[in-house]
């Protein structure tokens, strides 16, 4: 596996792996970071509005690998992985707390966050919730996270609307 793929620094200053878990820096990473330009080492922020969507889907049956294969996603760079869910308003705090156990944080603003609305498929008014975390990515781990979010939505009486992978614009690296 490429040395860049096993982890990189994130917005909290901690390197994360493909599962978003903290990784202790090894000797190789400490030496490599001595020679990297400062701009490359700047951590991603999950709420950064300058990030661009490089891959996304709202189709639960579409394979993660197929979406990533036809996208502008750059394999060796960290991403912000966002999941958009529709949840009953009273279940949102529990769902957000559960997602936080895996390193996800709720985004308070953005194009996917909306007001409570009545959904014909759900008994209670629902809220659009966007959960995001910084991590390295591959198709297997994207599929794993999509499954995790589908389970989270189902357990809390909601559903997944879609997902997005965001990275810095090509010229901003």
């Amino acid at each position: 596996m490429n040395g860049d793929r096993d982890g990189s620094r994130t917005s909290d200053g901690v390197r994360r792996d493909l599962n978003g878990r903290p990784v202790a820096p090894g000797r190789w990473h400490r030496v490599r970071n001595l020679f990297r330009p400062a701009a490359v080492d700047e951590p991603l922020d999950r709420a950064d509005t300058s990030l661009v969507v490089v891959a996304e889907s709202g189709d639960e049956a579409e394979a993660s690998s197929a979406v990533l294969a036809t996208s502008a996603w750059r394999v060796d760079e960290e991403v912000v992985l966002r999941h958009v869910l529709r949840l009953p308003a009273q279940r949102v705090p529990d769902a957000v707390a559960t997602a936080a156990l895996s390193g996800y944080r709720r985004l308070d603003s953005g194009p996917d966050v909306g007001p409570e609305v009545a959904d014909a498929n759900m008994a209670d008014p629902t809220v659009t919730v966007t959960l995001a975390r910084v991590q390295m990515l591959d198709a297997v781990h994207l599929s794993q996270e999509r499954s995790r979010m589908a389970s989270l939505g189902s357990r809390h009486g909601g559903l997944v609307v879609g997902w997005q992978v965001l990275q810095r614009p090509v010229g901003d690296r």
Side-chain angles (χ1 to χ4, degrees):
M1 190 177 284
N2 183 329
D4 288 328
R5 300 270 309 154
D6 61 355
S8 63
R9 293 199 178 278
T10 61
S11 58
D12 55 6
V14 177
R15 288 187 25 228
R16 305 247 177 216
D17 64 9
L18 287 163
N19 292 310
R21 293 189 199 112
V23 176
R27 184 180 310 168
W28 166 248
H29 285 95
R30 290 190 304 267
V31 171
R32 184 186 66 189
N33 287 337
L34 290 173
F35 299 103
R36 293 174 102 185
V40 175
D41 209 27
E42 289 181 23
L44 277 181
D45 179 6
R46 62 180 62 86
D48 185 350
T49 58
S50 70
L51 299 177
V52 295
V53 176
V54 294
E56 68 182 327
S57 180
D59 182 357
E60 63 186 39
E62 192 169 21
S64 300
S65 58
V67 175
L68 291 177
T70 60
S71 73
W73 165 63
R74 295 178 305 277
V75 175
D76 290 331
E77 295 180 27
E78 65 185 2
V79 304
V80 172
L81 180 57
R82 291 197 304 201
H83 300 275
V84 182
L85 294 87
R86 297 287 306 164
L87 298 168
Q90 73 276 8
R91 300 299 303 268
V92 169
D94 289 339
V96 170
T98 301
L101 297 173
S102 298
Y104 285 95
R105 300 290 178 261
R106 181 177 183 184
L107 296 180
D108 295 325
S109 62
D112 304 316
V113 179
E116 286 189 26
V117 296
D119 188 330
N121 297 325
M122 297 182 182
D124 300 322
T126 61
V127 175
T128 300
V129 176
T130 303
L131 300 170
R133 79 174 183 192
V134 177
Q135 68 178 74
M136 295 301 289
L137 189 71
D138 63 16
V140 171
H141 288 86
L142 175 55
S143 296
Q144 176 184 355
E145 293 309 308
R146 290 177 60 192
S147 176
R148 181 189 315 257
M149 288 299 138
S151 176
L152 178 77
S154 177
R155 284 192 318 266
H156 290 88
L159 54 91
V160 175
V161 176
W163 57 269
Q164 298 177 321
V165 175
L166 295 91
Q167 289 180 313
R168 288 186 177 103
V170 175
D172 289 354
R173 293 184 293 153

